[in-house]
Amino acid sequence: MDSRLPVKLPPKRHTLIRSTVAGDARRPGAQGPTGAFTDLETPATEATPARLIDELRERVGAAKVSQREDDIAVHSTDKWYASHPPDVVVFAENTDDVVAVMAFAHEYGVPVTTRGAGVGYVGGCVPLKGGIALSLARMNRILEVNAADGVAVVQAGVITGDLQAAAREVGWDYPPDPASLKECSIGGNIATNAGGPRCLKYGVTRNYILGLEVVLADGRVLKCGGRVHKNKTGFDLVGLFTGSEGMLGIVTTAVVRLIPRPPARAMLAAVFPEFATAAAAVQGILNSGHLPSALEITDGFTLAAARKRLGADRLPDGNAHLIVEVDGRPRAVASEIEELEELLGKLGAARIDRAETEEACEGIWQLRREFSYSLRDTGLTKLNEDIVVPRSKLVELVEFARQLERETGISVACFGHAGDGNIHTNLMVADYDDPATRKKANGALDRLFTWVLDHGGAITGEHGVGMAKKPWIHQALGATGLEVHRALKEAMDPGDTLNPGKFLD
């Protein structure tokens, strides 16, 4: 197969079928979806869409192609509010299926939006231009777990938690742990360069991707990287595709790095009277030479909601909560957790709970997971933003959030990964379906993102840009950065076949 780049430009698109948008996908300054499907015409003859979908069935297999109403509905959206239906859903079962779909799409100029588990928060897998929704959910095989090489080979649809479990069965570990690890897929993690609580010590998805098999926009297969842990051969194409949000190619298989699983871990859960004190404790821990595997901080609004759900006995009075996890050799963990408990007391913790067994540690993490459900219990719409700020700006961020509350009347809940500054700043909005309320919420988001960028932060740490943060991409990347992104997109996908309508439009 010819592997030269760039790909060839597909035929010009025209409009034959029009779809409707089931949700308002607009944000301040954003261009909403066009609502138009493309012209599915052969180079030589005028063909109907129905005939071409029949051809797609012939190429891929009829059982893998669906226009069922329930399949169309599921593949119209993710966990964000915007929705747009594809014209057809293809359930790929192997790389050859993906190649067939992309060759077909390239030939006829059909947009393709790839979908993993569909648990994203930014509309990243919403098929804005209709066309084909390409599901990789059936590509869920763990092909190899090799402790001797410290690698696993997995298809893109493998659930992250299943990969972790398979690695741990042989005494090894795959560290990236997004909160949705029991339902999110490796392909989706690669698309967004997902993180999680353990990023502080272990890094994000990119740090664990050694090699990729990628189907390009015209159906050619690219293999980059490999299964060795050091490789400086050519450009970092693995890094190019990791975080590309399905806009440059479709990852079908990944070689991931495994590490020996630490045999022991322990945790502390501390309540502080004020958020500023807890944030200072984060710096105090790191300045003392400790590198926890996780440092999670929670603000007063979230704690108040959690007390209503869980009871005050689980979370005593205090306006901040800090979780500290350490792992390693048993004697080292036992010694470090003692030091950290003493240090937290000196740093102002009002109450400290210790967990030293797997069951007790999971109990603390379950408490942390309940925070999100507690916010849902408020009945407010949670706009889940994954902004990142320098660690030194944590207190300023929460102070700004309180100011935003006072000036807009919209509550703001902050919790997340204090160790790397990735704080989920959730705008809690009442009656979000009301146009005036939504306009006010969008204005508050604009203020939040502007403040974050002005203070050296980033508008997304792990969710990606997708549709949700499209209005701020120019501000975030700058003119030259955006030009470089567009040049890469043009080189890799000149026909804008892959995930069109997202942040580079």
Side-chain angles (χ1 to χ4, degrees):
M1 184 174 292
D2 185 3
S3 60
R4 290 172 294 175
L5 292 175
V7 299
K8 296 180 293 183
L9 189 67
K12 182 179 178 181
R13 303 174 183 176
H14 303 284
T15 299
L16 280 183
I17 302 175
R18 294 190 180 274
S19 303
T20 58
V21 179
D24 181 5
R26 296 182 182 269
R27 289 282 181 92
Q31 294 182 353
T34 63
F37 184 49
T38 60
D39 181 330
L40 303 182
E41 63 176 353
T42 66
T45 62
E46 291 293 327
T48 65
R51 171 67 192 91
L52 286 166
I53 290 175
D54 286 343
E55 181 177 337
L56 180 62
R57 288 192 174 98
E58 291 171 5
R59 294 197 189 190
V60 182
K64 302 171 189 175
V65 180
S66 174
Q67 288 186 291
R68 288 164 44 105
E69 185 176 343
D70 55 345
D71 287 333
I72 295 294
V74 166
H75 291 79
S76 296
T77 189
D78 60 7
K79 288 193 174 184
W80 201 50
Y81 67 85
S83 176
H84 192 286
D87 292 272
V88 63
V89 180
V90 176
F91 296 93
E93 296 180 1
N94 50 54
T95 299
D96 288 344
D97 290 343
V98 179
V99 169
V101 168
M102 293 314 303
F104 172 88
H106 178 71
E107 182 177 348
Y108 295 116
V110 183
V112 176
T113 302
T114 309
R115 181 186 180 91
V119 295
Y121 285 99
V122 295
C125 63
V126 175
L128 279 176
K129 302 298 177 71
I132 299 169
L134 178 59
S135 170
L136 304 187
R138 294 181 184 176
M139 295 180 62
N140 58 2
R141 293 175 58 210
I142 298 175
L143 303 175
E144 180 184 358
V145 177
N146 190 315
D149 287 346
V151 302
V153 183
V154 298
Q155 291 183 312
V158 167
I159 299 301
T160 306
D162 292 343
L163 171 59
Q164 284 190 350
R168 290 173 180 177
E169 284 181 5
V170 296
W172 286 64
D173 195 16
Y174 177 73
D177 61 336
S180 58
L181 65 89
K182 292 183 179 180
E183 53 184 341
C184 64
S185 67
I186 292 295
N189 291 175
I190 293 170
T192 61
N193 195 20
R198 294 197 288 175
C199 292
L200 171 63
K201 182 175 182 179
Y202 291 108
V204 295
T205 298
R206 173 64 189 96
N207 301 112
Y208 294 87
I209 305 301
L210 298 176
L212 294 174
E213 178 185 79
V214 183
V215 178
L216 301 177
D218 59 358
R220 290 174 298 160
V221 177
L222 169 69
K223 293 187 178 181
C224 52
R227 62 186 294 129
V228 294
H229 289 245
K230 294 179 71 175
N231 185 348
K232 178 55 196 82
T233 309
F235 297 140
D236 181 12
L237 298 182
V238 171
L240 178 66
F241 289 107
T242 304
S244 63
E245 302 191 32
M247 299 171 70
L248 301 180
I250 300 171
V251 172
T252 52
T253 306
V255 182
V256 303
R257 179 169 71 97
L258 305 179
I259 65 171
R261 187 185 184 194
R265 66 169 171 160
M267 297 181 67
L268 299 172
V271 177
F272 288 82
E274 300 295 339
F275 188 91
T277 310
V282 170
Q283 292 291 358
I285 289 169
L286 298 172
N287 290 341
S288 297
H290 295 280
L291 183 59
S293 52
L295 271 173
E296 294 283 298
I297 199 168
T298 305
D299 74 348
F301 182 94
T302 307
L303 292 176
R307 290 187 188 103
K308 289 182 180 179
R309 178 182 175 88
L310 304 173
D313 58 318
R314 297 285 303 279
L315 287 166
D317 289 342
N319 288 312
H321 186 265
L322 187 65
I323 293 174
V324 186
E325 181 184 75
V326 295
D327 61 12
R329 305 302 303 174
R331 283 189 291 181
V333 168
S335 174
E336 187 169 19
I337 208 70
E338 287 281 355
E339 290 182 24
L340 284 167
E341 185 170 10
E342 182 180 352
L343 178 60
L344 286 175
K346 293 178 180 177
L347 292 171
R351 168 174 161 173
I352 304 171
D353 294 323
R354 186 196 293 196
E356 297 181 283
T357 65
E358 281 292 314
E359 183 179 3
C361 287
E362 280 304 310
I364 290 180
W365 279 120
Q366 183 57 42
L367 177 67
R368 162 66 174 81
R369 295 182 191 109
E370 291 287 346
F371 291 164
S372 185
Y373 294 111
S374 299
L375 293 177
R376 294 178 191 176
D377 286 353
T378 64
L380 304 173
T381 297
K382 179 164 71 81
L383 303 184
N384 185 1
E385 306 300 342
D386 64 322
I387 57 92
V388 190
V389 296
R391 279 198 303 260
S392 62
K393 303 293 183 181
L394 288 177
V395 174
E396 291 180 54
L397 170 64
V398 174
E399 289 175 347
F400 174 78
R402 300 290 85 84
Q403 177 185 345
L404 202 60
E405 282 182 337
R406 292 191 297 270
E407 295 177 0
T408 65
I410 297 173
S411 298
V412 183
C414 299
F415 65 91
H417 320 316
D420 54 25
N422 183 194
I423 303 299
H424 293 270
T425 306
N426 306 278
L427 272 64
M428 307 298 296
V429 185
D431 195 19
Y432 188 65
D433 291 333
D434 175 63
T437 301
R438 183 173 294 185
K439 181 178 180 180
K440 183 169 66 171
N442 290 339
L445 283 177
D446 186 54
R447 289 181 60 186
L448 172 65
F449 289 137
T450 298
W451 186 93
V452 166
L453 292 171
D454 286 346
H455 288 76
I459 61 175
T460 175
E462 51 193 11
H463 293 167
V465 179
M467 297 163 56
K469 293 167 183 170
K470 181 176 176 179
W472 297 275
I473 193 64
H474 190 284
Q475 188 179 357
L477 294 178
T480 302
L482 192 56
E483 287 175 6
V484 171
H485 276 71
R486 286 174 171 159
L488 287 168
K489 173 70 168 173
E490 177 67 20
M492 301 294 293
D493 182 20
D496 196 21
T497 300
L498 291 166
N499 206 3
K502 302 302 166 29
F503 67 86
L504 290 182
D505 278 15

